[in-house]
Amino acid sequence: MASAANTNLNAVRETMDVLLEISRLLNTGLDIESLSICVRLCEQGINPEALSAVIKELRKASESLKASETCTN
């Protein structure tokens, strides 16, 4: 039983490593934790395109806030 659990854990790690490498090649800017959250959300049924749109909007908002902070300082 423990061997099957180890095999499954190794498969999950390998899958995440591959996904992280793809993410880096595509310059998504996602770290392993963010990518893992995105994968879990997709596994729960969240539309990947909608998730991508939300991430892009959050990045735009963050950049806008940073820019406005820079202008006021």
Side-chain angles (χ1 to χ4, degrees):
M1 187 82 122
S3 178
N6 286 340
T7 301
N8 188 37
L9 184 58
N10 288 338
V12 169
R13 284 186 183 143
E14 186 175 326
T15 299
M16 284 307 298
D17 287 345
V18 170
L19 288 174
L20 184 60
E21 184 62 28
I22 292 170
S23 175
R24 287 182 178 150
L25 289 171
L26 295 174
N27 295 319
T28 65
L30 297 174
D31 60 13
I32 188 71
E33 183 179 2
S34 300
L35 182 62
S36 179
I37 291 167
C38 290
V39 168
R40 281 185 262 146
L41 287 169
C42 290
E43 287 174 342
Q44 295 296 318
I46 299 295
N47 181 319
E49 290 180 22
L51 181 57
S52 173
V54 168
I55 291 169
K56 288 177 184 177
E57 285 299 315
L58 289 171
R59 285 183 176 163
K60 284 182 189 176
S62 176
E63 288 173 16
S64 177
L65 284 173
K66 287 177 185 175
S68 68
E69 287 176 357
T70 303
C71 291
T72 58
N73 289 334

